[in-house]
Amino acid sequence: MSVMNEMHSIMEPHLKCLNLWQLDGRPMSGDIGRGATRESIAFAVRLAVAKDRPLGFLQLAGGTNAHTADGLRKEGLFQTTLENSNDVRSVLASPSSAFIGGVAYGGYARKIVGRVLSSMPSQQGPSSIEDHPELLVEALGLALGLVGTVKCYHPVHHSSFR
């Protein structure tokens, strides 16, 4: 917290917007279980109630997976909009409103999309996923399904894109 506040005090005179503070939890190598994200969410909960946290949005990283957004919602930390306020700074300054601005999926996203990439047929010479439209659609469906948990939409199953 002290390092974040020190960085914020250096940047503050030059800021024209709010920061996004990425909270790097413990790397989980793309673990898919609900337990893997508990530590990341617990860290966000601790930071959210800290009265001396710097102003800005928080983004979770490390230990995040498909269960993270639901876990944040259950803790009351994940909001998609700021309701009834034209002043974002005043809302974020309130200790009761830790605004989680995003989730970085990293290893988990690489793991689920990597499964599709590893199923690409081997060829002589360079090959890209765009050369295999059915695999591209499958990878996009997986990626959209993951991002949809944060963006509050549930994409149509990838078979509908064909």
Side-chain angles (χ1 to χ4, degrees), residues 112-113 116-117 129-130 132-148 153 155-159 161:
I112 63 172
V113 173
V116 175
L117 295 175
I129 195 164
E130 289 84 0
H132 306 278
E134 69 287 349
L135 295 177
L136 176 60
V137 169
E138 184 178 350
L140 285 172
L142 291 169
L144 287 172
L146 183 59
V147 173
Y153 69 86
V156 179
H157 190 270
H158 67 271
S159 63
F161 293 129

Side-chain angles (χ1 to χ4, degrees), residues 53-162:
R53 67 182 163 86
L55 199 57
F57 296 94
L58 307 176
Q59 174 172 294
L60 293 187
T64 57
N65 60 35
H67 304 289
T68 303
D70 286 340
L72 289 169
R73 281 187 192 92
K74 286 178 185 165
E75 292 292 336
L77 293 178
F78 193 75
Q79 304 153 15
T80 56
T81 59
L82 293 172
E83 296 176 17
N84 303 324
S85 177
N86 293 326
D87 184 9
V88 175
R89 288 182 182 273
S90 66
V91 171
L92 289 174
S94 165
S96 65
S97 69
F99 192 76
I100 301 295
V103 177
Y105 288 109
Y108 179 71
R110 283 188 298 277
K111 188 174 194 173
I112 63 172
V113 173
R115 290 181 194 137
V116 175
L117 295 175
S118 66
S119 70
M120 285 176 49
S122 59
Q123 298 177 356
Q124 296 291 49
S127 178
S128 67
I129 195 164
E130 289 84 0
D131 297 331
H132 306 278
E134 69 287 349
L135 295 177
L136 176 60
V137 169
E138 184 178 350
L140 285 172
L142 291 169
L144 287 172
L146 183 59
V147 173
T149 64
V150 176
K151 297 293 184 182
C152 292
Y153 69 86
H154 303 284
V156 179
H157 190 270
H158 67 271
S159 63
S160 301
F161 293 129
R162 295 181 187 165

Side-chain angles (χ1 to χ4, degrees), residues 11-65:
M11 295 183 296
E12 191 171 29
H14 309 288
L15 289 176
K16 296 185 185 341
C17 59
L18 294 171
N19 281 349
L20 176 67
W21 298 98
Q22 181 160 309
L23 310 176
D24 287 323
R26 191 177 76 184
M28 301 297 278
S29 302
D31 194 338
I32 60 172
R34 286 189 191 276
T37 196
R38 283 190 189 124
E39 197 172 315
S40 181
I41 293 169
F43 182 49
V45 168
R46 286 192 304 274
L47 186 57
V49 297
K51 294 188 185 343
D52 63 338
R53 67 182 163 86
L55 199 57
F57 296 94
L58 307 176
Q59 174 172 294
L60 293 187
T64 57
N65 60 35

